[in-house]
Structure formats: C-alpha cells, structure tokens
Amino acid sequence: MSALDTEVLIVGAGPTGLTLALWLVRLGVDIRLIDRSVGPGETSRALAVQARTLEFHRQIGVVDDVLEAGIRLEQLTARTPEKVSAIIPLSKFGEGVSRYSYAFALPQDIHERVLVAHLEEAGVHIERQTELIAFEEKDDGVTVTTRREGVTKTFRTLYICGCDGARSTVRHALGIGFPGGTYDQSFYVADVDGDGEVTRNGMDVCLGSYGFALVMPVRQTGSLRLIGVVPEAHKRDPVITFETIRPEIECHTGIAIKALNWFSTYRVHHRVAERFRGGRAFLLGDAGHIHSPAGGQGMNTGIGDAVNLAWKLAAVLQGRAAASLLDTYETERLAFARVLIKSTDQAFKLVSGRSWLLGLWRRYAMAKVISAITRTKIGSRAFFALISQTGIKYRKSALSSGRSGAVQGGDRLPWVPFGQSDNHACLTTLDWQVHVYGEIEPAFGAAISLAGIPLHRFDWSTAAGRVGVVRNTAYLVRPDGQIAIVAKQDATAFERFIETFAIKPRNVEASTIERSSSLAAI
Ligand SMILES: Cc1cc2nc3c(=O)[nH]c(=O)nc-3n(C[C@H](O)[C@H](O)[C@H](O)COP(=O)(O)OP(=O)(O)OC[C@H]3O[C@@H](n4cnc5c(N)ncnc54)[C@H](O)[C@@H]3O)c2cc1C
C-alpha cells in the first residue's frame, strides 16, 4: 500500500466517530480520523445521555469525566396551561437496572470535548478541515481521496467508516438509499437565561393543544434549553427568528427570557439507510438513521453503533474472529434503527399531532398516564429500559443463542450490584468472558480455560436472581456487554460458537479461571 496507510479511516468527528475512534484505539487498532469542520461542534444539540451510553463510556474509562461535566435530572414535571399535572421522579427510575439509574444531561459540545480530550491523551490527532471526496474499494482495501485547504490527497485504508452525519458522503458514494420522510412541523430550539416556574434540577414538559414544549437545564452555569413546535402561524415563514416567536415560546414554557445564547429551527426527518454496509465501508450514527428528537435517542444510537462495530472490526483486523463477524453489525444495528424509528415516530405524533383529540389527550390525560405507569416498579423499569437503551436486544442475531429464565442470548448482561462494585466492572477488559453466578463445574471450567476465554465466578446473590440471572447458568458475554450464549455448563455450545466465529480472546494470559475476591467475598 502507498504512504499514510491506516487500518480504519473514520470520516466524521461527531459523537459517533469520536466514540468509534476511542474504542478502536483502546482495542489497539491503527486509525485515522478526519473531519471537514474546523473544531468540535459549539451548540448543545443532544442533551440526553442515556444509561447505556454511560455504561459504554465506563468500559473505556471516560465516564467519570462525562458525569462530572453534566447534570443529573431529578424529576420530570408535566405542566398544562392550568397546573402541574404530574411529577415523575427520575433520580432512581432505573434502580436495580443500571449503575446509572437516573436521567442525565450533558450538552453535545461539551460531551464531544471530553471525548476529544481522551483521544488526544491516547495520542490521536483529529485531522480537521479534511474532507472525504471519494473512495473506491480495490485490492483488498479502500483507496480514499481527501481534500484539505484545496490540496487533494490519496491514501489506502482497510476499512472506511462513515460517521459523517445525515448528509453522509460515504452513504452517497455507496449509492445506498435513505428512505423515509420529513414531518410537517418545524421545531425551535433555544438556549436561554431566564426566570420562571421551572425545576432547576429537572426537566419540565409543557403540554397543550399547541403541542409540547420542553424546558431543561443545559449548562452547569444555569442556562435553560427550550424546545418546542414552531407555532402554526409561523411555520411557513421563509425565516423564523427568535423575536418573531418569542411571545409563544414564553407563553408555552412559562419562562421570561432574559438572554438568548443560541437559537435554531429545524425540520425533523425520519429515515433509515437501506443498508449499513457496502463491502469495506460502514455507515454509523446519523449517516444511517435520523429521527425525531422524542426520547433523546439520536446521539445515543450513534454511540451504540460505534461500540457494536468497534470490537468486531478490531477482532477481524487482529485475526481474532472470522470476517463473518462483521456481517452481524448490519443485522443487529439496522434492525434496532428500524424499531427505533417506529417508536420515536409514534411518540412524536402523540406529543405534537395537531388533531383536537390529541390536543385533549395531551392536556388532560398524557401526563397522568405516564405518571401512573412509572409509579409501578414494572412500569418504571420498562420505561427506563426503553428510554435508556439498556433494553436493547439482539435475540435474532447469528451471535445469539440460548435462554435460561428471562434472559436470552442477545440481551444486555443484566446488571448485578455487589457492595460498591458490580458485575459490569470486568467489562473494562473489552474482551469476551464467561460469567457464572454460583458454582463452576470443573469440567466446564477446564474447557473454557482451554479455549482461552476468561471465566468470572460470582457468588450467588438475591440481587442476581432479581434481574433474571439463573444460578449456575453460564453466560458468554461479548466485548460490548451483550450476551452471546446462555446455556447450562456444558461446553459444547460454547466450543461450537468459538469455532464458528473463530473467536480468540484478546488477553490470553487472562484465560485462567478468575475469582474476583472483592466480588466473591460479598
Ligand atoms: C437541535 C437538536 C437537538 C438534539 N437533541 C438530541 C438529544 O437530546 N439526544 C440525542 O440523542 N440526540 C439529539 N440530537 C441528535 C444528535 O445531535 C445527532 O444524532 C448526533 O449529532 C449524531 O452524531 P453523528 O456523530 O452521527 O453525526 P454528526 O454529529 O452530524 O457528525 C458528523 C461529522 O461528520 C463531518 N463530516 C460530514 N461530511 C464529511 C466529509 N465528507 N468529510 C469529512 N467530515 C465530514 C461533520 O463535519 C461532522 O463533524 C439533536 C439534534 C439536534 C439538531
């Protein structure tokens, strides 16, 4: 190959590309990361950082910095024009499901800066003002053309990852369609300083016949994010300025605005790419799916794509898995994106539909229904699993098999706390591992040890039973914390899987049976 070769070229340094870069670097892959912009984004955009994203960030050691920079949201207050109609506590609504059982907000620009700082610490330099122009797959690699300050360069990479946003150059170059549509309503988003009856440590949703408006803290400095539907009377204005719709914004949110820090309006699209892969090129994040902001899922889904692809690419590049492992990226993530588009579409229609019936539903029923659901333990957990993305399952994936109790192959490893620690602590190795909660049968232990897969034994606990783990069952856990196989301690299913996908663990030295004394002692 010619000069400036790399194993993986990442196009786009938004949250998706930055996460992919960090995971690949931690996994020892040689990368280049290019972005046509001058620097990281400067607007707050995605505020909601979901629990599953925080769990992924924990695996690569960035979660503490992310948590330090953001705000925990303690409650959701639903208001109608007349009154506060429901208060839903958010501080522990995922209690027992995740270490990060609360709602958490961090402006996207700060989030990106935290990820950039960790990349720089790892010695990765983002090549800014560098635009992908074209690429072509040939001779077991990809020839890429980029342009920087008018100068065109060509180099070779083994894989190219399009994390280049909704207008993705990679997607266009692959000729992959982006079917879907655009909602009729336009949205405004404003970051302001202001006064009003809002919860400073929570999120307020203001529901009315006009649709909805959302108020939440943006920065630790105390500014507020206002987001809502552009009033009907102005939606066709060629240019919608803040001052034109300020009276409606103040009326719907109840905020007296003192200063405006950022204002934007946008149309919302709902689209999913027909494919997430074309040969050695992959689509991730907004390049593959865009949808309504309902539920704060967009950025988090991009980060989930990045994690799903990163460990598979690393394993194939390092000869630790068969190339067929890469096929599972599209099957797993495309299926999830399609489900997500449907659910965000339904949620979006409920919160912004214009019919009088939906208007009545929002004004008199919606908050009470959600409040009633989340007041029950089952309802609260189901709601949390959906919003936080901890409920993501790949049960139909070629990598998933077996079932014991409520847990199936493809599910996320249920979270089991042990004193100050938990069973997700060992996922920081970014490696395959087998978990047993109870006792290990010697023959099974010996077979897993022989295969080189780290084996973790945890003392049986009621906490494990509560989240659906079954005593003495064996769980083969993927590097991203999803379960591949759930089975009795019979090594056959595990050996067959390891052989089919030619799995080799990263750290052969860790292949002895491990007993974590801090966990086992509790
Ligand atoms: C107002 C607003 C509010 C939102 N709120 C939320 C929320 O609360 N929660 C949530 O999860 N999501 C939210 N989103 C969505 C979220 O911002 C996006 O989903 C997220 O930015 C997608 O990240 P990405 O890295 O995939 O793409 P992007 O952030 O779009 O990054 C793509 C990058 O690729 C670069 N690029 C593009 N083309 C090229 C090229 N040819 N060569 C080199 N570089 C290129 C761009 O410069 C850019 O830096 C919101 C979005 C908006 C607009």
Side-chain angles (χ1 to χ4, degrees):
M1 292 200 284
S2 57
L4 298 171
D5 294 344
T6 185
E7 288 179 313
V8 178
L9 172 72
I10 302 170
V11 186
T16 306
L18 292 169
T19 304
L20 181 64
L22 269 169
W23 271 71
L24 286 174
V25 166
R26 296 278 195 272
L27 287 160
V29 174
D30 178 46
I31 61 154
R32 283 182 65 177
L33 173 53
I34 63 167
D35 196 295
R36 67 173 165 212
S37 66
V38 184
E42 300 207 330
T43 55
S44 59
R45 293 171 293 152
L47 273 182
V49 183
Q50 305 295 355
R52 191 71 184 113
T53 296
L54 294 172
E55 289 178 349
F56 289 142
H57 282 351
R58 181 188 185 195
Q59 285 191 256
I60 53 165
V62 305
V63 74
D64 290 342
D65 290 344
V66 166
L67 290 177
E68 199 175 312
I71 303 171
R72 272 171 79 142
L73 301 174
E74 302 296 341
Q75 68 179 52
L76 173 75
T77 307
R79 297 169 191 277
T80 62
E82 296 84 23
K83 59 178 180 154
V84 169
S85 57
I87 294 178
I88 300 165
L90 296 177
S91 51
K92 289 185 182 168
F93 80 126
E95 197 170 25
V97 180
S98 172
R99 185 179 181 89
Y100 311 103
S101 59
Y102 41 84
F104 183 75
L106 175 66
Q108 187 172 321
D109 53 337
I110 301 180
H111 196 161
E112 287 180 15
R113 276 167 214 278
V114 171
L115 300 180
V116 168
H118 278 270
L119 265 182
E120 280 169 358
E121 218 174 88
V124 176
H125 158 71
I126 303 171
E127 298 169 53
R128 297 270 178 201
Q129 294 171 280
T130 305
E131 186 174 11
L132 173 76
I133 302 297
F135 66 92
E136 187 189 357
E137 186 170 334
K138 60 177 179 190
D139 305 334
D140 292 336
V142 185
T143 303
V144 175
T145 308
T146 60
R147 186 167 50 214
R148 184 171 196 275
E149 293 174 345
V151 179
T152 299
K153 284 196 177 157
T154 298
F155 62 93
R156 297 264 299 159
T157 177
L158 289 173
Y159 292 97
I160 178 168
C161 294
C163 306
D164 48 348
R167 299 202 172 117
S168 171
T169 307
V170 175
R171 191 185 66 239
H172 284 291
L174 291 169
I176 294 177
F178 204 30
T182 306
Y183 294 108
D184 187 41
Q185 299 95 325
S186 291
F187 280 81
Y188 67 80
V189 49
D191 284 358
V192 304
D193 295 331
D195 295 323
E197 288 274 310
V198 292
T199 335
R200 288 287 165 174
N201 61 347
M203 183 169 27
D204 285 42
V205 57
C206 312
L207 298 160
S209 46
Y210 54 85
F212 78 102
L214 208 61
V215 184
M216 57 199 288
V218 183
R219 318 252 166 202
Q220 288 177 338
T221 54
S223 63
L224 294 167
R225 153 77 68 88
L226 312 180
I227 183 164
V229 182
V230 169
E232 197 66 5
H234 295 287
K235 80 174 189 194
R236 306 263 174 247
D237 291 2
V239 180
I240 303 162
T241 65
F242 168 69
E243 286 304 332
T244 338
I245 61 169
R246 178 183 187 139
E248 284 95 341
I249 297 179
E250 292 195 325
C251 169
H252 295 162
T253 59
I255 301 294
I257 297 165
K258 290 193 292 194
L260 176 72
N261 306 321
W262 174 56
F263 176 77
S264 179
T265 59
Y266 61 101
R267 300 284 299 278
V268 177
H269 306 267
H270 47 100
R271 297 175 189 279
V272 186
E274 288 160 340
R275 287 177 290 130
F276 279 8
R277 181 180 184 186
R280 291 177 169 269
F282 295 88
L283 296 178
L284 304 87
D286 277 17
H289 44 79
I290 46 172
H291 37 84
S292 98
Q297 301 293 307
M299 176 193 71
N300 294 281
T301 306
I303 288 175
D305 294 341
V307 173
N308 190 292
L309 183 60
W311 67 267
K312 294 173 183 174
L313 263 182
V316 171
L317 279 165
Q318 293 163 356
R320 293 184 288 100
S324 61
L325 184 67
L326 289 176
D327 299 338
T328 65
Y329 167 69
E330 180 177 270
T331 46
E332 292 180 355
R333 296 306 292 179
L334 188 55
F336 175 65
R338 288 189 174 139
V339 169
L340 183 69
I341 295 282
K342 260 197 200 144
S343 56
T344 51
D345 185 53
Q346 283 158 356
F348 184 73
K349 284 179 180 150
L350 282 180
V351 295
S352 68
R354 292 278 182 209
S355 79
W356 65 270
L357 200 60
L358 282 173
L360 284 181
W361 145 257
R362 278 193 297 270
R363 196 154 177 168
Y364 298 109
M366 187 173 168
K368 290 199 178 81
V369 171
I370 295 176
S371 170
I373 294 171
T374 53
R375 242 181 281 132
T376 65
K377 204 155 201 162
I378 292 180
S380 165
R381 283 193 171 196
F383 191 61
F384 180 79
L386 183 72
I387 299 282
S388 67
Q389 302 203 345
T390 54
I392 289 181
K393 298 169 174 32
Y394 305 127
R395 288 182 175 176
K396 292 189 179 146
S397 169
L399 297 177
S400 310
S401 68
R403 172 188 193 134
S404 182
V407 178
Q408 285 191 39
D411 296 359
R412 158 185 164 275
L413 176 71
W415 179 72
V416 184
F418 290 95
Q420 292 303 305
S421 192
D422 55 68
N423 65 333
H424 281 200
C426 40
L427 297 178
T428 51
T429 58
L430 311 183
D431 205 359
W432 290 92
Q433 50 198 273
V434 173
H435 284 201
V436 172
Y437 299 76
E439 298 307 322
I440 294 169
E441 289 167 21
F444 178 73
I448 294 299
S449 179
L450 201 66
I453 308 283
L455 177 54
H456 295 265
R457 192 195 76 78
F458 301 87
D459 279 352
W460 175 251
S461 66
T462 47
R466 256 200 307 273
V467 292
V469 169
V470 175
R471 192 173 197 152
N472 297 343
T473 291
Y475 301 88
L476 177 62
V477 185
R478 310 173 357 168
D480 59 357
Q482 298 293 131
I483 297 171
I485 298 180
V486 181
K488 288 190 186 141
Q489 291 187 45
D490 166 4
T492 322
F494 293 76
E495 285 163 352
R496 204 181 314 122
F497 178 90
I498 289 165
E499 199 187 319
T500 305
F501 290 99
I503 300 294
K504 291 188 194 80
R506 294 182 64 214
N507 184 357
V508 178
E509 279 169 18
S511 66
T512 47
I513 297 175
E514 292 175 9
R515 180 187 164 102
S516 166
S517 54
S518 61
L519 300 181
I522 293 159

